[in-house]
Amino acid sequence: MAIVVFIMFVILVLAVSVHTNRRSRSVDGYYVANSSVHWGVNGVAFAGGYLSVASFLGICGLIAFFGYDGFLYSIGFLAGWIVALFVIAEPMKRRGTFTFPDALNRTFKRPGIQLAAGLSVLVVSLFYLVPQMVGAGVLVEPLLGIPHYWGVIIVGSVVILIVAGGGMTSTTYVQFFNGGLLLLFAGILTVAVLLRGVNTAELSVEEGVAGLERYRYQEVAAEFGEENLRVDLPGAEVVGRHAVVDRHTGAESLVLYRVSRLIPASVDAGGGYTANIKGRTPNFSAADGTSSGLGVHWTVEQVDGQPYVRIEDWWRLNTNADGTHRLVETQFRAVLPDGTVLVNGAPEGASNRLRQMGGISEIPEAYGESTGPVDPLRLLSVFADRSTVVERPRSVAFNTEAGERVTVHYAEPVAGSVFMRPGLMFPLEPQAGEPSITTLLNRLNFISLMLALFLGTSALPHILIRYYTVPSADAARKSTIVAIAGIGLFYIFTMYLGVGAVTSGALNPETSNMSAPLLARSFGEVLFAMISGIAFTTVLATVSGLIMAASGAVAHDLLPNLLRRDVSDNTKVLAGRIVAVLVGIIGIVLGIAFRGMNVSFLVGWAFAVAASANLPALLLILFWKKATAQGIIASILVGIVAAVGLILLSPDMWARYGLDPTTAPMPINQPGIVSIPLSFLVLVVVSLLTAKKEPAPAAA
């Protein structure tokens, strides 16, 4: 079903591209759809292009994993449209013709401004392109059962065909189609979540396979002996230990034990064996009782004439209030030195993959085990109650002495009242033993993110170019109002999709990006197919807009200035199509490289670069008469270099380089709090220093 829907959507968007190809042969037709798009269609297309895979997949996932803090992205994304409505919309339409650099350069007519602004559009588009392509791979991987990189390649290829073939007209109708479907099916899924309510007794069906919902993670008694920990499991022996030490207090905040144990096995029809490992039943063959090449990790033992599988898996130590101990079962993935991958102690394969996580283990006593159908406010009140316990997925990665790379996924019980207030993702309050400078940096990181989201929206190039597709400034304003209404409604839906994924136990422990599709699958394959297909069109809609913006910047702004001569309209259109192909290929490569990072987090970086490079120049050229060409150019270039440079030096990138994040030169991940004010300051200072060297521009 999912594959059929996927193919249908691909055929539909390609048909739109072919149909609109005739209208994209002129410069006006290719870049701005002849400025003939109705404001209502443009408003929905605004929403379809802006509600990217980061909004649909990323925010839902962040809410599911981090509660209230994830919803802050929704607030920031929506708040940015206020700036667009009251400050940017009508002036942008009056000033420009094709691209964002056009608007900046209308007053000064300087090649340097077009070059700098064109470079900015290209950089911002690439930064925004990365999370979309990452999301594409995340979607297509379970949808078609193919590797992540093939998903990125397929989506990138389809988008290249859309943009290179149909230009802005094709992009507009793909975005319009996507915006309408997103609102419709997000609403349907929200209603389904409210009708399901919260149930602590029944688990949802994973992957549409009956039986997977029956497994519950074990908890067993444990006690410390003279030499080691004793565990109440068949044939159990503790063979390893790992502790996470709090760097501020020196205390062990998480203790994991590696346990070797026996699991009953059955002989299958082919003479091999099956065993139930955390609810899954992988098949394997054995020669002389040992699976070839896997040693003690996957062996068969005979006990009283019955076969048992011996596995080694990781358990988390919990200490009860009375001082007794228990071990709680976890999941893990281990990569052995020879490259073999084990999942939960057995070889990874189609029948042995990580289980979904999440869920609600306790709700207020008044509801018993189930709330039944609830209204929107009641669901949030249940979540926010202090007696509600949310099983929040967490993970920790480390290397063993034997050279294995192990990632353990475990459930951390969190009170609902904690889950629904700030602090899980952005720790604003001091933690035990935490230096005051760390608390300050955490708060600055949060402020920096909110600043980027609020100011970045109206500076995104694929948003700015949509103002040129309508016939008038009044139509641009109306389009923005329609977009705000649609986007605001959608972000309300994301809140319920996020908490619904938690209540349904529909969280992939390795990526938060799949929370919405997995939630849909818990209601059946049909809804899963539709939601996954719509998420796919979301990627197409946003990526096509980004590639259009990059294509216009290079072909319309950079190329003529670099060649230092006029370029014919036909050449500009041809160049735009070629650039669309090249940018698409770059996006594919980056999408593969950044696999695993949350897409909303990556989008936060794109917003920071846009707000730093574009917004200061745009605002001051509109509302400050003393702005000069030199100031505009300097501001754009400094904004790009500062934002990108600080991102490359941030803790998260330091970790991606394989270095210790605590040693990163930039102590916070979000650069906006430094790069945005710096860009404004540079524009003002350089403009004042160069004001006498040129006549003051006319008021905007």
Side-chain angles (χ1 to χ4, degrees):
M1 170 67 75
I3 295 175
V4 172
V5 172
F6 175 85
I7 294 173
M8 287 174 55
F9 281 139
V10 171
I11 293 174
L12 179 61
V13 296
L14 290 179
V16 170
S17 178
V18 172
H19 178 71
T20 56
N21 185 49
R22 293 182 180 179
R23 301 172 60 182
S24 65
R25 293 177 181 175
S26 66
V27 174
D28 283 2
Y30 184 79
Y31 289 114
V32 294
N34 295 310
S35 298
S36 60
V37 178
H38 186 273
W39 58 265
V41 172
N42 200 53
V44 177
F46 255 136
Y50 185 72
L51 294 175
S52 64
V53 69
S55 295
F56 188 37
L57 301 185
I59 291 177
C60 290
L62 289 178
I63 292 173
F65 277 70
F66 299 100
Y68 178 86
D69 282 2
F71 188 63
L72 288 173
Y73 275 86
S74 294
I75 296 172
F77 286 151
L78 181 60
W81 279 93
I82 304 302
V83 178
L85 174 62
F86 291 106
V87 179
I88 301 298
E90 295 188 42
M92 277 299 294
K93 176 58 185 175
R94 287 195 296 265
R95 292 184 65 90
T97 54
F98 293 113
T99 63
F100 164 66
D102 270 347
L104 289 186
N105 202 34
R106 180 177 177 181
T107 300
F108 299 103
K109 308 295 184 186
R110 294 289 184 87
I113 291 181
Q114 276 196 299
L115 285 171
L119 177 63
S120 171
V121 169
L122 195 57
V123 171
V124 173
S125 296
L126 286 174
F127 261 87
Y128 206 103
L129 196 59
V130 172
Q132 315 309 319
M133 302 305 280
V134 171
V138 168
L139 272 173
V140 176
E141 190 171 6
L143 198 63
L144 302 181
I146 59 178
H148 177 276
Y149 64 87
W150 275 115
V152 176
I153 292 171
I154 290 172
V155 170
S157 301
V158 173
V159 172
I160 288 171
L161 292 174
I162 292 172
V163 177
M168 180 53 81
T169 305
S170 173
T171 299
T172 296
Y173 285 101
V174 169
Q175 292 177 341
F176 174 79
F177 173 69
N178 171 68
L181 285 180
L182 262 181
L183 288 170
L184 174 62
F185 279 90
I188 291 173
L189 195 51
T190 297
V191 171
V193 167
L194 295 174
L195 291 176
R196 170 179 283 175
V198 183
N199 192 318
T200 60
E202 296 181 7
L203 301 178
S204 63
V205 176
E206 290 184 35
E207 302 159 23
V209 179
L212 281 182
E213 79 278 12
R214 289 196 295 268
Y215 186 81
R216 291 183 178 273
Y217 294 99
Q218 302 177 68
E219 295 187 13
V220 298
E223 59 181 32
F224 286 94
E226 294 182 359
E227 296 182 359
N228 211 334
L229 186 71
R230 292 197 295 269
V231 184
D232 187 17
L233 286 170
E237 179 186 358
V238 174
V239 295
R241 182 182 188 273
H242 177 78
V244 177
V245 178
D246 188 293
R247 64 189 180 96
H248 301 304
T249 64
E252 293 183 339
S253 58
L254 174 69
V255 179
L256 300 168
Y257 283 94
R258 186 172 191 165
V259 179
S260 174
R261 61 189 177 108
L262 295 175
I263 296 177
S266 302
V267 180
D268 61 22
Y273 297 92
T274 62
N276 187 298
I277 299 178
K278 292 180 173 55
R280 297 193 184 276
T281 53
N283 298 296
F284 62 100
S285 60
D288 299 325
T290 303
S291 185
S292 175
L294 296 174
V296 298
H297 293 281
W298 187 239
T299 62
V300 178
E301 299 180 12
Q302 298 292 327
V303 180
D304 295 331
Q306 297 296 319
Y308 284 80
V309 171
R310 178 169 291 279
I311 68 169
E312 295 180 1
D313 60 352
W314 290 89
W315 296 63
R316 179 167 61 92
L317 179 68
N318 271 7
T319 302
N320 301 318
D322 60 0
T324 58
H325 305 282
R326 55 194 171 93
L327 288 184
V328 181
E329 194 175 13
T330 70
Q331 298 193 88
F332 76 97
R333 179 189 299 275
V335 181
L336 307 188
D338 64 0
T340 302
V341 178
L342 301 180
V343 172
N344 296 328
E348 182 181 38
S351 59
N352 187 44
R353 303 190 305 278
L354 290 174
R355 296 289 306 269
Q356 292 174 194
M357 298 180 68
I360 305 293
S361 58
E362 295 181 28
I363 57 176
E365 291 184 4
Y367 295 105
E369 293 184 333
S370 174
T371 63
V374 292
D375 60 63
L377 294 179
R378 179 63 58 87
L379 179 60
L380 297 182
S381 70
V382 170
F383 257 85
D385 195 285
R386 65 179 60 187
S387 60
T388 297
V389 177
V390 179
E391 299 295 330
R392 179 172 169 246
R394 300 293 304 278
S395 64
V396 60
F398 54 91
N399 293 319
T400 67
E401 293 181 356
E404 299 176 55
R405 180 61 179 173
V406 178
T407 303
V408 176
H409 303 280
Y410 62 97
E412 179 185 63
V414 174
S417 56
V418 174
F419 188 80
M420 295 296 281
R421 69 169 184 252
L424 290 181
M425 186 176 185
F426 306 109
L428 304 181
E429 297 300 322
Q431 307 299 307
E434 182 179 86
S436 56
I437 185 63
T438 303
T439 305
L440 175 62
L441 290 175
N442 288 335
R443 294 174 179 176
L444 290 177
N445 193 56
F446 171 72
I447 294 171
S448 185
L449 172 65
M450 290 297 104
L451 188 65
L453 297 184
F454 183 72
L455 298 179
T457 298
S458 53
L460 293 172
H462 71 295
I463 296 299
L464 293 172
I465 61 173
R466 290 231 61 87
Y467 288 119
Y468 305 137
T469 62
V470 291
S472 66
D474 182 59
R477 178 176 51 81
K478 290 179 180 178
S479 294
T480 308
I481 294 173
V482 172
I484 290 174
I487 292 167
L489 179 61
F490 178 81
Y491 283 144
I492 293 174
F493 291 153
T494 62
M495 178 168 53
Y496 291 98
L497 301 187
V499 298
V502 176
T503 62
S504 303
L507 306 182
N508 183 327
E510 292 190 302
T511 174
S512 60
N513 295 324
M514 279 299 291
S515 299
L518 292 179
L519 168 64
R521 185 163 59 187
S522 71
F523 290 102
E525 287 297 314
V526 174
L527 194 54
F528 169 66
M530 294 304 300
I531 291 296
S532 297
I534 292 165
F536 172 72
T537 64
T538 300
V539 177
L540 297 184
T542 304
V543 173
S544 59
L546 289 167
I547 294 181
M548 270 305 308
S551 173
V554 174
H556 185 266
D557 301 306
L558 294 179
L559 186 62
N561 286 290
L562 291 174
L563 296 178
R564 296 183 180 276
R565 62 183 178 84
D566 291 335
V567 177
S568 69
D569 289 351
N570 288 337
T571 301
K572 287 183 179 180
V573 173
L574 177 61
R577 299 184 197 276
I578 294 173
V579 171
V581 174
L582 295 177
V583 173
I585 292 173
I586 295 172
I588 289 171
V589 173
L590 295 176
I592 295 171
F594 280 84
R595 178 189 182 186
M597 295 190 73
N598 181 274
V599 290
S600 281
F601 182 83
L602 290 171
V603 162
W605 281 347
F607 273 63
V609 177
S612 304
N614 296 344
L615 191 69
L618 185 57
L619 287 180
L620 294 188
I621 205 170
L622 289 174
F623 303 108
W624 191 46
K625 296 180 180 180
K626 295 183 179 181
T628 65
Q630 292 92 329
I632 299 296
I633 295 169
S635 173
I636 293 172
L637 296 179
V638 168
I640 295 173
V641 172
V644 175
L646 292 175
I647 287 171
L648 294 177
L649 299 175
S650 68
D652 272 356
M653 288 303 297
W654 226 241
R656 202 142 188 97
Y657 305 146
L659 303 174
D660 182 2
T662 60
T663 64
M666 173 65 172
I668 61 177
N669 285 308
Q670 299 296 335
I673 198 168
V674 176
S675 56
I676 296 173
L678 179 62
S679 183
F680 273 107
L681 179 63
V682 166
L683 197 156
V684 171
V685 171
V686 174
S687 292
L688 292 176
L689 292 176
T690 58
K692 296 180 180 179
K693 299 179 181 179
E694 60 178 82

